Amino acid sequence: MRGVRAALAATVLAAASACAPAGEGTALTVFAAASLTDSFGALAERFEADHAGVDVRLNLAGSARLAQQIQEGAPADVYASANERTMREVAAAGRVEGEPRTFATNRLTIAVAPGNPLGIESFADLAEPGLTVVVCAPPVPCGSAAEEIERITGVTLRPASEEQNVKAVLTKVRTGEADAGLVYVTDVLSAGQEVAEVELPEAARASNDYPVAVLKDAAEPELAREFRDFVFSDVGRQELLRAGFGAP
Amino acid sequence: MPRVLWFPAALALALVLLPVAGLLVRTDYARLPELITSPASLNALRLSLVTALLSTVLCVLLGVPLAVVLARAGGRAVRLLRAVVLLPLVLPPVVGGLALLFLLGRNGFLGYLLDVVAGVRVPFTTAAVVVAQTFVAMPFLVVSLEGALRGAGDRFERVAATLGARPWTVFRRVTVPLLLPALGSGAVLSFARALGEFGATITFAGSLEGVTRTLPVEIYQRAETDVDSAVALALLLIVVAVVVIAVARPRALEGVRS
């Protein structure tokens, strides 16, 4: 029994110390769209190097899920989303400080197996029977962009699957289950040699704007504004450009 | 029973019930009928029921022999197999889905063979959903049955054999009746697990309405954009699970001999 009590006490102590602030360090919590994983990861490191004692914590997920978490009261200082609709939702819930600003654009492209063995050349080729095509589901940003391209080109796809996020589409192409998938330009870049790209010029007319905003009730409002401005700085632009994003 | 057990028992119950209560509180009852009778919801519900039932049948057909072998055969290899059978319980479902892809996908060795020899492709089909569900649900059946068999011992089977019964007769007339109570609870557990299956399904089978988008996948998708509608569907899933369990095997979960 004494052993149990000691273990209990130790657990309570450990839990208490885990909640306490860690030394003098300050944490800045940034909620960012999953497609920003690489670029914001690099930005966070640079920001930490410039600000001694600051720990940037990235929460990376689908924009819609992040918007929901923020509306449910998740503690966050900065929100960077992959389209304007999700940012509007957060703004409508009264959680945004000031006006969100667009810092990057992204557009869809066609991802195929390395070397493009099936010789896919255009969006219209994706509608050919016998081809396994995977897209995002319409409610998520990459899905609504795909629908927009269907509308622009007048080509209707018959996808084998409508995935929940763009990384899932990429996985299906990477593993060879899908012959082609509609993903962002930045995803093709981050996948390196594992997939090849087929240019999709029509996508330029259906590009997403990426807005960023400081959140109301941010624990570190000063630092949050600095981080937002850092995204717009030369360093920020370079990182985004390198990841394949377009300038706003 | 020591009274002190009541305290942790109540905590355990609260841990299970309170989140469900939270779900009930958050439900938008005005929109509920409209949300759960939309074509997308009904398609997902139908697909879930059909695939979970098929998976349960597969679990029984394959899991009963496996449990008997594991419980009755000896040797070190069998002891190792007992642990291996539990793997789907430990694997994150997404990893299970990837594993299935690497086996049955286009580039998996079995998938490649099926494609070349029979022209069959499993991923993105309803069959893939059933395979994924069976994969994650099977351990529940096997563990329940194996535990029951080992608890009962093999003395009845030995006696039957000494009285001249052939192995097949022993299996049919002694082993299977011994299994029946545990089979009920095992099948219900498997069904419940198959009904809630999500991670392996979305990874291995994808998500397309009426083909592979089961109720949990539909819920996941809606949770991104419309929480109310996801909550309504979650409620539907819970009600379906409770009704099916109550109707199919009222006493199954008690594990009593019927």
Side-chain angles (χ1 to χ4, degrees):
Chain A
M1 196 62 207
R2 184 186 270 171
V4 172
R5 250 181 233 165
L8 257 178
T11 316
V12 170
L13 269 179
S17 61
C19 295
E24 302 169 52
T26 325
L28 179 72
T29 310
V30 177
F31 279 31
S35 43
L36 295 166
T37 303
D38 297 340
S39 44
F40 267 46
L43 281 183
E45 263 177 38
R46 294 261 198 143
F47 193 79
E48 283 170 353
D50 292 348
H51 298 73
V54 172
D55 177 24
V56 179
R57 293 180 184 163
L58 288 177
N59 179 19
L60 300 151
S63 304
R65 176 140 300 166
L66 292 174
Q68 216 179 77
Q69 289 174 353
I70 295 171
Q71 289 174 66
E72 297 284 341
D77 298 306
V78 178
Y79 175 46
S81 117
N83 71 352
E84 289 178 315
R85 190 184 67 212
T86 45
M87 180 61 85
R88 273 201 301 274
E89 279 169 24
V90 174
R95 292 287 320 264
V96 166
E97 180 198 276
E99 273 296 305
R101 280 171 59 198
T102 301
F103 64 92
T105 63
N106 207 353
R107 59 186 176 81
L108 288 185
T109 190
I110 304 169
V112 295
N116 193 7
L118 295 172
I120 294 163
E121 284 175 354
S122 67
F123 191 73
D125 284 355
L126 299 183
E128 293 204 5
L131 212 60
T132 308
V133 177
V134 174
V135 300
C136 286
V140 289
C142 51
S144 54
E147 275 193 328
E148 180 70 9
I149 295 172
E150 284 188 290
R151 208 184 50 75
I152 292 171
T153 56
V155 174
T156 307
L157 301 181
R158 294 187 55 201
S161 177
E162 296 171 349
E163 301 288 331
Q164 196 50 40
N165 59 62
V166 70
K167 295 291 179 198
V169 176
L170 191 65
T171 302
K172 297 284 195 287
V173 178
R174 264 181 171 164
T175 55
E177 286 322 311
D179 296 317
L182 290 180
V183 299
Y184 290 120
V185 175
T186 51
D187 296 310
V188 170
L189 264 178
S190 74
Q193 303 294 312
E194 290 182 67
V195 299
E197 182 187 358
V198 176
E199 293 277 344
L200 182 55
E202 297 92 336
R205 288 155 67 195
S207 71
N208 301 30
D209 285 345
Y210 279 57
V212 61
V214 172
L215 295 173
K216 255 181 208 163
D217 322 317
E220 300 291 338
E222 273 306 315
L223 220 47
R225 279 175 218 126
E226 268 185 57
F227 186 84
R228 178 198 56 197
D229 295 341
F230 187 58
V231 172
F232 287 95
S233 71
D234 285 342
V235 177
R237 276 188 206 288
Q238 270 167 26
E239 283 298 342
L240 290 162
L241 211 63
R242 187 183 314 172
F245 287 100
Chain B
M1 181 183 71
R3 283 235 184 103
V4 73
L5 288 187
W6 277 101
F7 180 64
L11 266 183
L13 204 60
L15 190 61
V16 175
L17 288 184
L18 288 184
V20 179
L23 208 61
L24 291 175
V25 170
R26 270 297 292 268
T27 305
D28 183 348
Y29 290 97
R31 278 175 72 206
L32 189 63
E34 162 214 342
L35 286 174
I36 60 179
T37 55
S38 75
S41 309
L42 293 179
N43 272 333
L45 174 64
R46 193 183 45 80
L47 185 67
S48 267
L49 285 177
V50 170
T51 52
L53 270 175
L54 282 174
S55 309
T56 310
V57 170
L58 269 181
C59 280
V60 170
L61 288 179
L62 302 175
V64 169
L66 178 58
V68 173
V69 167
L70 289 182
R72 293 296 183 247
R76 190 181 285 169
V78 170
R79 272 207 298 279
L80 192 72
L81 276 183
R82 257 178 225 138
V84 172
V85 167
L86 297 182
L87 267 184
L89 290 181
V90 191
L91 282 183
V94 175
V95 178
L98 281 176
L100 287 171
L101 265 187
F102 297 149
L103 173 70
L104 286 165
R106 241 196 252 182
N107 298 327
F109 64 90
L110 203 54
Y112 180 77
L113 213 65
L114 279 174
D115 195 358
V116 170
V117 174
V120 174
R121 284 183 189 170
V122 183
F124 304 125
T125 62
T126 307
V129 178
V130 175
V131 172
Q133 290 177 348
T134 309
F135 174 76
V136 297
M138 180 92 77
F140 287 91
L141 190 96
V142 174
V143 169
S144 326
L145 292 190
E146 198 209 327
L149 272 176
R150 297 207 305 153
D154 63 355
R155 58 186 191 280
F156 294 119
E157 285 148 350
R158 278 209 312 260
V159 168
T162 55
L163 293 178
R166 295 184 166 279
W168 188 245
T169 313
V170 175
F171 176 72
R172 223 164 25 90
R173 303 289 294 271
V174 181
T175 314
V176 170
L178 268 178
L179 276 179
L180 276 181
L183 186 62
S185 55
V188 167
L189 277 178
S190 305
F191 179 82
R193 181 67 188 85
L195 193 66
E197 210 312 297
F198 156 71
T201 306
I202 203 164
T203 311
F204 178 51
S207 162
L208 193 68
E209 188 178 331
V211 182
T212 53
R213 192 173 292 155
T214 56
L215 210 43
V217 176
E218 176 78 25
I219 290 170
Y220 175 64
Q221 168 148 326
R222 293 206 197 171
E224 295 267 293
T225 43
D226 181 0
V227 185
D228 286 344
S229 143
V231 169
L233 280 192
L235 210 61
L236 180 65
L237 187 66
I238 291 175
V239 169
V240 167
V242 169
V243 166
V244 168
I245 290 170
V247 170
R249 289 291 300 196
R251 296 166 70 197
L253 286 178
E254 293 163 26
V256 291
R257 197 167 292 198
S258 45

